[in-house]
Amino acid sequence: MSNNSPTATANPTPPHVAVVGAGWAGLAAASELKHRGFRVTVYDASHTPGGRARQVNDPMLGTIDNGQHLMVGAYQDTLALIARDVPEPDQQQGFTRFPLRLMTTDRAFVLGAPSWLPATIRPAAALWMAKGLSFQDKRMASQLLMGLKASGADAEGEQTVGQWLRGAKQSQRLIDFLWEPLCLATLNTAIDEASAALFQRVLTDTLLNQAAGATDLLIPATDLSSLWPSHVCKEVNTRFGQTVRSVAEVAGGVRVEDDRYDGCVIATPAHGVAKLFDEAVQQQFPRIFSALSAFEYRPITTVYVDLTAPFSLDAPLLMMRHDLAHETQPAPGQWVFDRNRCQPETATQTGRLAFVVSDSTDVLSQNPEALAEQLVNQLAREMKTRLSAQGAAGAPLTIKAARCFHEKRATFAAKPRLHRPSNETPWRQITFAGDWTDTGYPSVLEGAVKSGLRAADCLIRQLPKKSRAS
């Protein structure tokens, strides 16, 4: 039979896929689908890409983010996508990168190792060279990590982080200075609620990762939308400012609002998925929608502050002494970032700081100006020795401008035995993407990116080979 007919020789139209949600999970799916030859249309109710990690324009502070983020060198999938999607010059300017170094504002605790040490031994050296821990503390922490390296994370574990740490005889000082700050930073859940299995996975992929640069700290040196999301949006069709209220599988495809596609990736927050399906569909698949509604959430608060006078921290970020809180002098802050050192190209002539309050339920009702003042006062108390050495102890840190962001559903509560849906759904032409899917990671950007990549791959495998949008 001749194979020279127009139908046989014509280039087939690539399948057209919709992605609902322009957060990091949705854009990771969009990037992968585009890279593998699909036409992609991304929907988002916002006008700015990035979801819970995006830029915001403030009349006083200029371009900032809706929350301060920190990445690590072990974020392989995230960094690989940035390397693929972002032009080389922009990549070089994307991060302020420095070797692992954790230090409290008062220098009571310092963990770090010289950058010239081989990457394979640097995390262990940092622990043994740490200031503020006893020899016994260092030995017990080392034993904990070596035991984890030998046995791996307990994927089926039902322990909380607190139970695991106490069972491993970690001292209260170790918990206060090392394990609890890391748990709050990565799981955004208190140690007596947080899943030990998820925290173990984080430690395995960071502190126990011997790859070069895996433990490096990466602070975005540009706004989060410009770092990567906006580059993906240049390569796909975008429908910003459009709220999707309906997704349904139809013969040979998927209907998103009134438009038909060959497939769809739903990349909204878990609590928004049910709104896309009618009640009959929800009743047909009660297990999925029950799991989606079972998530609890934890907030994160970021407070940006511009000071009236020049001021800088001893490092791009410092741990605050959250453990010193008491009734008359509350200490809600856990981390403070020196924004002038993180983003040198947009540095101000005065001090610019970003305070982070993890699991921030207790401060949500506070007046934003009062909270900013409280955090600045906390910093001043903790740094009083250093300020005295500079001759500035008597000069208060005065706020020129401040902006407070409460992300009330910043992360899911990372508790043990939490059932997280997979990327696959009952519909072959629809997949889920989001940090809430079963990635094995907590609610961090790397987890969102991993989920988006998996959702794209799953959809590609499941789509009919001759699927075409009309």
Side-chain angles (χ1 to χ4, degrees), residues 394-448:
L397 301 178
T398 306
I399 298 175
K400 177 182 178 182
R403 176 73 183 271
C404 178
F405 290 95
H406 294 302
E407 191 69 53
K408 294 183 179 180
R409 286 173 163 167
T411 68
F412 58 81
K415 295 183 175 182
R417 301 178 298 279
L418 176 65
H419 174 67
R420 296 163 66 181
S422 70
N423 299 104
E424 296 181 354
T425 73
W427 312 279
R428 287 182 58 82
Q429 286 144 287
I430 299 175
T431 58
F432 290 154
D435 57 16
W436 46 270
T437 61
D438 190 13
T439 63
Y441 266 67
S443 188
V444 293
L445 290 179
E446 177 74 353

Side-chain angles (χ1 to χ4, degrees), residues 346-401:
T346 59
T348 62
Q349 296 300 311
T350 59
R352 170 167 286 190
L353 305 172
F355 295 91
V356 178
V357 184
S358 302
D359 198 2
S360 61
T361 303
D362 292 343
V363 305
L364 292 181
S365 61
Q366 283 192 234
N367 175 276
E369 290 79 11
L371 178 58
E373 191 74 32
Q374 191 177 94
L375 290 164
V376 168
N377 289 339
Q378 178 187 347
L379 177 65
R381 286 196 309 273
E382 295 175 8
M383 296 186 69
K384 61 183 180 181
T385 302
R386 173 179 171 268
L387 294 176
S388 296
Q390 291 182 342
L397 301 178
T398 306
I399 298 175
K400 177 182 178 182

Side-chain angles (χ1 to χ4, degrees), residues 26 72 79 101 120 122 131 145 216 224 237 300 411 442 461:
V72 294
L79 296 176
R101 184 174 177 82
T120 54
R122 199 177 299 153
K131 173 188 173 183
L145 291 174
D216 286 355
L224 289 168
N237 300 318
I300 296 177
T411 68
R461 286 187 283 105

